[in-house]
Amino acid sequence: MREQSDQTGFRLMVRRICRRLTVVQTVLTLFGLLVLALFSQLLPGYEPWWLSFFLTLFVCLVILVLMRYGRVVWRDLVRFRCAVTAGSISALPLHRKWSLTSPPGWMAEQARHCLVGYGYRVRLIYRQGGILLSAMRGGANRCGFFLAHGGLVLLCLGLLLDSRLLTQIAPAAGRLDGVVQLQTDVKSDQVQLVAGAGEQFVLPFQLELQQISLVGGLRRMQEQYRTRMLLHDVQRNHTVQLTVGTNQPVSYRGFDFYQQAVSDAGTILHIRVWPLFHARMAALKQTAAVYAERHYQTSRGPILIRFNDFNPKTIVTEQDASTGLRVYRNLGPRLDFNAAMPDGQQLNYIMYMLPFAQQGRYFFLSGVRDETSELFHYLHIPADPEGEITRFLRFHAALNDQVLLNEVVRNTVGRSGESAARESMIQNLLKMIELFNHAGFSAVEQELANYTTPEKLPGLVALTTKLLRNVFYQIYEKVVQEEERATAGAGSSFDIRFFEDALTATAGLGRFGLPLFIQLDDFEYKPAVQLQVKKKPGKYWFFSGALLILLGVSAMLYSRHRRVWLWFDNGYEKGMVLCGGMGGRHKVEFAEEFSVLVQHLESAMQP
Amino acid sequence: MMQLPWFNQISVRIRQFVSPYQTVYGFETVHVIWVVSLSALFISILQQGVAWLTAADVALVYGLLLGLLWFGLQSGILRWFVWAVVLTAWFGLVMKDGESVWRYFLAPDAAAIWMALTILGACAMLLYRTARQEAAESLLLVGLFFVVMGFLSRWHLSWAGGVETAQIPLVAKRDILLLILGVMLGLTIYLVQRRVHHLVVIPVLLLAGFHLLWLPDTAGLPPLAQPVLQHVWLKLHVPAMVIALAVLFMAGVTGVVSLFQAESPAHETKSGDGGLHYHDAMNRLLSLGVVLLSIGLLTGMWWADLAWGDYLLPEPKLAGALALWFYYLGALHQRLQKGAGGQAQIWWLIGGLPLLVFVLFGIDVLFVGRHLFI
């Protein structure tokens, strides 16, 4: 007796919970999701303990709903409700009565055909007093209940499978999030886990980089790489070729591989090193490698260069002057290196190997910075008509050629006047040229300030600048003539612009600091690819659940469950046909449908 | 009026030809004309130099064509509207914009100004009752026409740079706003035609003004900077989410407007003049919104799994969208459990309005995530 009362108490409790379930569900949903929204920002990772708790609770609640209402909904889906009587049909708000004009069996058959044509499932029951026709349509609505709630359970289970909970219970079966590095001719199976300091996971197969390629046109950014790799599965005794790209992950034995980053694994660089601040224009040809170091004896002392990184392609955006649209340009290979100066200073350099267009002119860009956290200060070296750096280097070498300078300066100063004063002027000009070569016009101005009063300084600076520019231009003309383009001379607008840009670049060389210019002839690219390795055991549970919810909710919203009964009486109310129907919550829509349906039924049952 | 017998004769012939009683192999002539002409226009547009469309893009375009055909078969007014849009787009494409007079109507900024003017005019007519409602509805439809043209011309603008810059305008905030405006305008026309209170036009009016204020700063089309954006899922996820949010917003607006009505919405009955009840409108919008939101979330999470390596990330926009989804599932649950209509549902939908604005724009201001408008 006591046991029975306990059972009743439990049932009452369950019923009470279910009655309040909408409220409970709503509060939990709002609370849980609000916390999710907040904590997704504050905590690393999305699976704190309370999320697992919340999900478990949610699964239990949905299972409870399925247990409580599932039976009712299932009954609604499969049962025809054949216990209705003529009285209950006439009690329905929507009903119609006709006289029996033909044998009830024949009329019931006609009605059945008509209703089947409307998509109803029909059952005929022959009773003592007549024939009952029970029909129903819109089972999808009731199926939607199971799909949506079952989907919700699947979805939450998927999340639980992918949560930290399963990883802690069964690490081998749980979630995995790490990075694997691939290189050519090296087999890798070590995955560096993202969470956990330095922890590693060993894959049950080995990966080997076969090829890496940059896909798409210039629009494609640097990350748009495609990696072709070989997968050696010793356990299954086979090797497969897989290709991973941005937006194109691949899966193998439950592991997903995503393209993450490409770095350098020691690319071989065939370079030419041009000495700067030197009259001799002779390049040193040599082979270097990324991560390798090279020592150089320069005009400023010994310098140690360490190559940090290499990129075979550099994409930048420019604004097109005519259309205003952004266009993409490839600046070619890019070298990144550190230089240890004779005074102990460490500078970081970046050099682009193809010229970059700026205001209709082309420049070779080289950047320098003290710290890697700073922005680069760029040196713009003008490109010659061939798109090469040669003319600038020749001009620069000529500016450091003392014999040539002497000759040009003497010609400029002329032979008239007192010889001592003329010689002093020549020496002063040569000194100013040296100053300019190392620190630009500002250094010349500073030097001149020592010789005159502030009032006379602007005049002296203007005169000296004019003289210097005259000397430089004569040297420049010689350089251009040596290019065997004497017919064009140095008078074309391009040459004049080049001269101005070359002077600006020369003035900036001092601040640039490096007495070398490195030119890349060729390279043997050796990339290393980082692939993101993921294992998400709950992924397909989650997406199956989400799809089922979508289907279920759509079915519940856009399909209506309705029932129709017809009673062909041959008992006490002989000669009557009763028809009634109900459309659940969609009363208005069903009323319209019912009126059309009874018209068709009436005409179908006419003899 | 001057009599023109030849004109009357032609007119009668055309009417006979397109009358519903004329059939071609059992199909109504007007439907056949609609399907054939629209398909021909679409194919012609596809041949105008959009050869770089991927197979998925072409599938989407043909999907759109099928959708438009279906829409046109449902309603005469939509048929004319779609035909006008596609025909104008075709002319715009053939004329190669630049030099022709079309630039005063079809260039993105011009279309936006025309759109704002027509919406302003229509709203003034509706709110001040200065003209017949039908005239205002027509003007709103013209506004919608300019919204669609503005969107298409933004897309066309991106083709100017060739295949390298061609992109669907679904990344910039301005374009998202335009899409929202288009959807909300379409729904406003639907509601106004069904005699829902004229105050329903206010959000569209505000949005049009807001869009106009935005114009000076957003001349060019931003590039798709991140490789993850160069994906077909962009064309599925973003429209689904944006349309869902716009539909749910209009559900909330209908809820607000219903509060201005004297009688209780729960006790209204369907009127015979084609009018729609507030609770009917709200329910239809809620259903459509929830289904689209589910599609948007599902496609977005699948895309995130492909591009970012995971479908559930510590991502504020995702968390917000999930919160929104659960919120509207709660609203739907309320409706399925307790029945349609009722004050609770109205307040539920009104409560969703600030949440929607927060998820769409507020999250970007407060948090840093991977969902960034350019």
Side-chain angles (χ1 to χ4, degrees):
Chain A
M1 186 70 191
R2 187 183 167 81
E3 201 177 295
Q4 200 178 356
S5 113
D6 280 352
Q7 271 186 5
T8 320
F10 177 72
R11 279 187 183 174
L12 270 174
M13 193 181 74
V14 170
R15 277 186 191 171
R16 210 169 284 170
I17 290 172
C18 290
R19 214 171 293 150
R20 292 173 186 274
L21 205 55
T22 313
V23 180
V24 174
Q25 205 168 12
T26 308
V27 170
L28 272 174
T29 304
L30 285 175
F31 176 73
L33 268 295
L34 186 69
V35 180
L36 178 72
L38 288 174
F39 275 72
S40 64
Q41 279 301 297
L42 302 176
L43 289 180
Y46 67 89
E47 58 269 67
W49 65 268
W50 55 263
L51 185 62
S52 302
F53 172 74
F54 167 70
L55 287 171
T56 316
L57 196 66
F58 204 78
V59 169
C60 294
L61 278 169
V62 179
I63 290 173
L64 213 61
V65 168
L66 280 170
M67 279 166 59
R68 171 72 177 82
Y69 296 105
R71 226 169 351 153
V72 181
V73 178
W74 179 253
R75 241 182 272 153
D76 221 16
L77 177 68
V78 294
R79 292 198 182 171
F80 277 87
R81 296 200 190 170
C82 301
V84 293
T85 59
S88 53
I89 293 174
S90 10
L92 289 170
L94 293 171
H95 68 273
R96 190 70 66 88
K97 199 182 266 185
W98 299 287
S99 16
L100 203 61
T101 50
S102 304
W106 182 85
M107 284 184 82
E109 266 310 311
Q110 293 307 309
R112 192 171 73 86
H113 281 299
C114 180
L115 285 166
V116 167
Y118 264 88
Y120 280 82
R121 285 185 291 152
V122 183
R123 182 168 287 181
L124 280 171
I125 299 107
Y126 294 88
R127 288 194 191 150
Q128 192 74 37
I131 303 166
L132 178 75
L133 184 149
S134 178
M136 60 181 178
R137 190 185 164 191
N141 181 288
R142 297 298 186 255
C143 288
F145 172 85
F146 292 106
L147 288 176
H149 289 83
L152 211 50
V153 173
L154 274 182
L155 183 137
C156 292
L157 284 176
L159 287 178
L160 276 173
L161 282 173
D162 273 352
S163 72
R164 206 177 285 168
L165 196 70
L166 184 66
T167 315
Q168 282 172 357
I169 297 167
R175 187 183 175 81
L176 175 80
D177 190 354
V179 176
V180 63
Q181 177 145 329
L182 305 186
Q183 285 182 32
T184 41
D185 306 324
V186 179
K187 289 178 182 172
S188 326
D189 58 2
Q190 302 285 325
V191 176
Q192 197 73 37
L193 296 181
V194 172
E199 280 182 48
Q200 288 196 328
F201 176 86
V202 180
L203 291 169
F205 42 79
Q206 291 181 317
L207 300 167
E208 184 187 344
L209 178 64
Q210 211 178 12
Q211 195 195 28
I212 176 144
S213 50
L214 198 59
V215 293
L218 288 184
R219 179 188 175 178
R220 308 297 183 196
M221 293 290 113
Q222 209 172 333
E223 300 84 31
Q224 202 85 330
Y225 282 102
R226 187 174 290 162
T227 304
R228 205 167 69 202
M229 60 183 180
L230 284 176
L231 189 146
H232 307 280
D233 193 338
V234 183
Q235 290 172 0
R236 295 188 179 177
N237 197 25
H238 70 145
T239 299
V240 283
Q241 192 184 62
L242 300 172
T243 306
V244 187
T246 308
N247 295 330
Q248 292 169 325
V250 287
S251 295
Y252 184 79
R253 288 178 64 180
F255 293 93
D256 298 332
F257 297 96
Y258 297 85
Q259 180 77 44
Q260 193 184 48
V262 176
S263 60
D264 204 287
T267 297
I268 307 293
L269 305 166
H270 300 287
I271 53 174
R272 252 187 292 177
V273 183
W274 298 92
L276 296 178
F277 308 106
H278 209 285
R280 198 167 58 91
M281 200 191 130
L284 171 69
K285 280 193 173 187
Q286 61 177 194
T287 302
V290 175
Y291 309 127
E293 291 179 347
R294 283 278 180 277
H295 291 271
Y296 297 100
Q297 279 301 328
T298 69
S299 56
R300 293 184 174 179
I303 287 179
L304 174 71
I305 286 182
R306 185 181 188 275
F307 295 95
N308 300 327
D309 195 14
F310 172 77
N311 275 294
K313 203 172 182 180
T314 314
I315 310 297
V316 289
T317 53
E318 295 171 12
Q319 193 146 22
D320 192 287
S322 56
T323 60
L325 291 169
R326 289 192 201 185
V327 290
Y328 298 84
R329 260 184 64 80
N330 179 13
L331 291 190
R334 188 182 71 198
L335 268 180
D336 184 323
F337 56 89
N338 278 2
M341 296 299 173
D343 58 0
Q345 196 188 6
Q346 287 275 351
L347 293 173
N348 180 221
Y349 288 93
I350 192 165
M351 283 189 175
Y352 296 92
M353 296 298 152
L354 286 184
F356 173 70
Q358 204 168 46
Q359 295 171 344
R361 287 118 76 195
Y362 283 87
F363 297 95
F364 287 95
L365 280 184
S366 300
V368 60
R369 59 184 174 182
D370 292 330
E371 301 284 337
T372 47
S373 55
E374 289 176 3
L375 291 174
F376 281 107
H377 299 284
Y378 284 99
L379 178 73
H380 291 68
I381 298 177
D384 61 23
E386 313 299 323
E388 298 288 337
I389 199 168
T390 321
R391 185 191 281 189
F392 174 77
L393 289 174
R394 288 162 67 86
F395 177 56
H396 178 72
L399 286 182
N400 287 276
D401 187 344
Q402 293 304 320
V403 178
L404 182 67
L405 281 175
N406 239 314
E407 182 196 326
V408 175
V409 167
R410 279 176 196 284
N411 285 343
T412 308
V413 172
R415 298 195 182 278
S416 60
E418 200 184 323
S419 64
R422 201 175 62 231
E423 194 54 37
S424 159
M425 196 176 176
I426 289 167
Q427 291 310 318
N428 277 339
L429 266 180
L430 287 171
K431 187 180 174 186
M432 292 302 153
I433 290 170
E434 197 179 345
L435 275 173
F436 171 81
N437 274 345
H438 287 90
F441 281 114
S442 57
V444 173
E445 195 177 331
Q446 265 181 355
E447 181 65 21
L448 289 173
N450 298 328
Y451 300 113
T452 186
T453 58
E455 293 81 39
K456 290 181 181 173
L457 182 65
L460 187 61
V461 169
L463 180 68
T464 316
T465 309
K466 198 177 171 185
L467 277 169
L468 287 178
R469 286 179 65 88
N470 194 354
V471 171
F472 294 152
Y473 195 72
Q474 286 181 53
I475 294 171
Y476 176 65
E477 269 190 323
K478 284 182 187 296
V479 169
V480 176
Q481 278 162 9
E482 276 172 25
E483 280 180 12
E484 296 181 350
R485 293 175 64 253
T487 46
S492 72
S493 61
F494 174 85
D495 289 335
I496 291 166
R497 272 207 316 270
F498 185 95
F499 170 68
E500 296 296 337
D501 293 334
L503 279 191
T504 313
T506 309
L509 273 177
R511 271 180 296 162
F512 189 61
L514 191 70
L516 299 169
F517 185 83
I518 299 172
Q519 202 175 12
L520 186 75
D521 281 342
D522 201 2
F523 59 89
E524 293 160 41
Y525 189 41
K526 288 191 174 178
V529 178
Q530 277 96 47
L531 295 183
Q532 211 179 354
V533 184
K534 294 258 185 179
K535 195 176 163 198
K536 291 161 280 184
K539 177 180 151 183
Y540 289 104
W541 290 65
F542 177 89
F543 280 108
S544 310
L547 199 63
L548 287 182
I549 293 173
L550 179 63
L551 292 174
V553 168
S554 306
M556 282 162 87
L557 292 173
Y558 292 105
S559 156
R560 290 178 285 121
H561 187 74
R562 52 260 202 218
R563 289 176 181 276
V564 172
W565 291 275
L566 277 111
W567 174 249
F568 302 87
D569 201 321
N570 54 8
Y572 65 93
E573 211 176 342
K574 199 167 181 176
M576 294 304 286
V577 180
L578 255 175
C579 176
M582 53 191 265
R585 293 193 191 91
H586 305 272
K587 291 184 180 67
V588 180
E589 290 88 347
F590 184 69
E592 285 172 7
E593 189 185 316
F594 186 76
S595 67
V596 177
L597 183 70
V598 287
Q599 279 177 17
H600 282 93
L601 275 172
E602 197 174 359
S603 58
M605 289 187 293
Q606 292 294 329
Chain B
M1 197 176 161
M2 207 171 70
Q3 288 293 316
L4 293 169
W6 56 271
F7 179 80
N8 289 343
Q9 225 171 359
I10 292 170
S11 166
V12 168
R13 285 281 168 87
I14 291 172
R15 280 185 200 173
Q16 276 177 352
F17 187 62
V18 297
S19 99
Y21 305 108
Q22 284 284 336
T23 56
V24 179
Y25 295 111
F27 296 104
E28 284 182 29
T29 318
V30 67
H31 287 172
V32 174
I33 292 171
W34 158 249
V35 171
V36 171
S37 61
L38 192 72
S39 306
L41 266 178
F42 246 76
I43 291 163
S44 172
I45 285 176
L46 275 174
Q47 285 177 338
Q48 288 289 323
V50 282
W52 53 78
L53 290 177
T54 62
D57 291 339
V58 174
L60 279 178
V61 171
Y62 280 108
L64 181 71
L65 171 64
L66 288 177
L68 289 177
L69 288 174
W70 183 80
F71 264 114
L73 294 176
Q74 298 301 308
S75 145
I77 187 86
L78 278 175
R79 195 181 306 144
W80 285 111
F81 179 76
V82 171
W83 214 81
V85 166
V86 179
L87 191 68
T88 317
W90 183 81
F91 267 112
L93 216 56
V94 169
M95 298 286 181
K96 304 285 178 208
D97 50 25
E99 297 306 314
S100 71
V101 72
W102 291 89
R103 70 178 185 274
Y104 298 115
F105 300 96
L106 304 184
D109 290 359
I113 291 165
W114 283 110
M115 173 269 294
L117 282 175
T118 45
I119 291 175
L120 184 70
C123 292
M125 283 164 130
L126 279 169
L127 295 172
Y128 292 100
R129 310 272 178 159
T130 55
R132 287 194 313 162
Q133 176 142 344
E134 287 75 18
E137 286 167 17
S138 305
L139 208 54
L140 280 176
L141 212 59
V142 175
L144 184 60
F145 169 81
F146 280 113
V147 170
V148 179
M149 291 323 300
F151 187 81
L152 289 178
S153 56
R154 290 274 286 173
W155 200 346
H156 184 226
L157 183 74
S158 75
W159 297 351
V163 65
E164 298 295 340
T165 56
Q167 56 165 293
I168 188 165
L170 286 176
V171 182
K173 206 174 266 184
R174 170 184 166 167
D175 299 322
I176 298 289
L177 196 71
L178 192 67
L179 191 58
I180 292 176
L181 181 59
V183 177
M184 282 173 62
L185 190 55
L187 293 172
T188 304
I189 294 167
Y190 171 81
L191 293 172
V192 166
Q193 281 179 343
R194 279 153 187 80
R195 307 288 181 268
V196 168
H197 200 282
H198 52 269
L199 281 177
V200 81
V201 296
I202 285 177
V204 174
L205 185 63
L206 293 174
L207 263 182
F210 196 45
H211 184 75
L212 212 55
L213 285 175
W214 213 310
L215 290 186
D217 300 331
T218 54
L221 224 65
L224 293 180
Q226 297 174 35
V228 290
L229 291 175
Q230 294 155 15
H231 209 287
V232 69
W233 291 102
L234 171 80
K235 293 156 198 166
L236 294 171
H237 165 67
V238 178
M241 284 305 283
V242 168
I243 295 171
L245 297 186
V247 169
L248 290 171
F249 194 87
M250 283 311 288
V253 170
T254 315
V256 174
V257 168
S258 75
L259 295 177
F260 286 87
Q261 296 300 98
E263 59 201 276
S264 166
H267 297 101
E268 283 178 23
T269 52
K270 196 151 190 162
S271 50
D273 62 346
L276 186 73
H277 293 299
Y278 290 96
H279 70 258
D280 271 347
M282 279 186 288
N283 283 337
R284 285 183 190 187
L285 292 173
L286 177 64
S287 307
L288 183 64
V290 169
V291 170
L292 284 171
L293 191 63
S294 310
I295 293 172
L297 264 172
L298 191 62
T299 51
M301 287 172 119
W302 187 256
W303 184 20
D305 191 64
L306 286 176
W308 292 335
D310 216 329
Y311 59 93
L312 200 68
L313 297 147
E315 165 67 22
K317 203 86 165 179
L318 175 64
L322 271 174
L324 201 65
W325 187 61
F326 274 85
Y327 179 86
Y328 279 104
L329 275 191
L332 209 61
H333 212 268
Q334 176 95 5
R335 175 189 143 185
L336 291 169
Q337 196 103 341
K338 309 278 182 194
Q343 211 70 12
Q345 195 186 341
I346 291 172
W347 283 110
W348 201 293
L349 290 176
I350 293 171
L353 290 175
L355 202 58
L356 282 164
V357 176
F358 176 72
V359 169
L360 193 58
F361 295 118
I363 283 180
D364 299 315
V365 179
L366 291 177
F367 305 104
V368 178
R370 297 185 194 210
H371 280 84
L372 286 174
F373 289 121
I374 297 169

